[in-house]
Amino acid sequence: MTERSLNHRPIPSRRPCLTAVLRMAGLRPTRQRVALAEMLFSGPHRHVSAEQLHDEAQSSRVNVSLATIYNSLHQFREAGLLREVAVDASRSYFDTDTSDHHHFYLEDEQRVIDIPASSIVIQNLPEPPAGMDITHVDVVVRVKKAR
């Protein structure tokens, strides 16, 4: 091998890995799901709305409807691949970091950022109704620029 061929190896695609992740999560790895998973999980951890992901898909020439993106995001959430952060009744963001942590919602920017779980202490939770267990407590702290 020449020095040039050693330095210019193709970067392996993550598609086979993401296909396996989707299968292990119980989801059929359709072309659209794999493309969306690649957009969501190929970079650093992030928070994304369905509309933002749709814009990214359009820019990347991935032909997918907004309805399919909503369905896929909810399927990824149900499979444990994403965490949903509801900032109000009409807006949710999907977090690629499913670990235990909380969020700031920057109202002026319509953006979500992390708050480490250790920064918030939750005490005196009420007893759940009979036959129920508390599974998670989500804290979303809404902030905007001081005037």
Side-chain angles (χ1 to χ4, degrees):
M1 286 189 145
T2 67
E3 183 178 332
R4 176 176 163 76
S5 64
L6 285 173
N7 292 333
H8 288 52
R9 291 183 187 162
I11 297 171
S13 169
R14 291 188 48 154
R15 272 189 194 270
C17 180
L18 290 170
T19 298
V21 167
L22 291 173
R23 281 195 177 114
M24 288 186 330
L27 297 170
R28 194 167 57 88
T30 63
R31 180 187 56 79
Q32 291 174 322
R33 280 190 192 127
V34 171
L36 294 174
E38 223 166 42
M39 284 187 264
L40 288 165
F41 303 115
S42 290
H45 135 74
R46 59 190 249 173
H47 306 92
V48 65
S49 69
E51 294 80 11
Q52 289 169 329
L53 191 59
H54 185 253
D55 290 345
E56 286 178 33
Q58 299 300 92
S59 296
S60 299
R61 299 184 194 272
V62 174
N63 188 20
V64 61
S65 71
L66 185 57
T68 298
I69 288 179
Y70 271 107
N71 290 337
S72 296
L73 288 171
H74 287 287
Q75 290 164 348
F76 289 176
R77 179 189 48 81
E78 288 170 12
L81 301 174
L82 292 174
R83 184 170 159 195
E84 187 171 6
V85 180
V87 295
D88 60 39
S90 64
R91 181 166 289 281
S92 287
Y93 290 84
F94 293 85
D95 191 347
T96 59
D97 179 359
T98 59
S99 70
D100 188 25
H101 65 284
H102 307 288
H103 297 93
F104 281 117
Y105 176 62
L106 287 63
E107 291 179 341
D108 299 325
E109 300 175 33
Q110 294 187 333
R111 191 165 64 97
V112 173
I113 59 174
D114 290 336
I115 301 172
S118 60
S119 297
I120 295 178
V121 176
I122 299 173
Q123 297 178 314
N124 301 324
L125 287 174
E127 281 295 317
M132 306 287 268
D133 290 324
I134 295 173
T135 60
H136 193 82
V137 176
D138 287 318
V139 175
V140 176
V141 180
R142 301 174 69 93
V143 297
K144 61 180 169 181
K145 291 183 180 160
R147 297 186 191 256

